Amino acid sequence: MSATIGVLALQGDVREHLDALSACGVRAVPVRRERELHAVDGLVLPGGESTTMSKLLDVFEMYEPVRTAIRDGLPAYGSCAGMILLASQILDTRPDATHLDALDITVRRNAFGRQVESFEADLEFTGVADDDDPLRAVFIRAPWVESVGPDVQVLATMPEGPAAGRIVAVRHDDVLATSFHPEVTGDLRVHQYFVDIVTGRRTREGRAS
Ligand code: GLN
């Protein structure tokens, strides 16, 4: 039977992630409640607005269940605001915003500057996309990863421009995060990468086993 992957459906671009996951051949379901969380093999935290999502995690009494589930090994993938929620430390956020502390990274919100609300870039992405066939990445008021803990694998960095070298995709064990939005491009490679993590086909080094 194929895996079931949930998308945290409190706010943000839930539908786009559900569609991308379905196109990868897994069962994709929205998750709003604890019982729905316990029925999935992996969880996507979508893009949107991280401080709003953090409030809704509290309102829906989902903060502790999601944090515990990921700590106990539930694979998770956060894109953009989802990356911010997974981080252990956030720069330029609101003091009352909570986060899940699931990935040993420091992220800076809206890091690319307010004047650059949104842009696209071609990225190399370890195990997913190389120079010959780069990944078109869409950034929307995106964070970047300011620093990573010793066990965190950097999967992609900005290739050029003022932010050259900034980290935009990371993984630690079965927790994955990207600054950008693969769910809006129709390129399924990042979602497939996460599906492979969930189904155990993708080892820590980013190779298919
Ligand atoms: N800037 C947003 C935040 O801080 C994230 C933007 C996004 O998810 N597209 O939550």
Side-chain angles (χ1 to χ4, degrees), residues 46-51 79-82 84 109-110 140-143 179 181:
E49 217 290 315
S50 58
T51 59
S79 81
C80 203
I84 297 169
R109 280 182 72 217
N110 304 320
I140 305 167
R141 290 192 303 283
S179 301
H181 290 267

Side-chain angles (χ1 to χ4, degrees), residues 40-72:
V40 299
D41 305 305
L43 183 70
V44 171
L45 296 96
E49 217 290 315
S50 58
T51 59
T52 306
M53 248 187 273
S54 91
K55 268 201 205 85
L56 292 172
L57 277 170
D58 280 338
V59 170
F60 280 72
E61 296 178 350
M62 284 292 276
Y63 172 76
E64 207 49 55
V66 171
R67 203 176 73 87
T68 306
I70 298 173
R71 195 195 55 208
D72 292 349

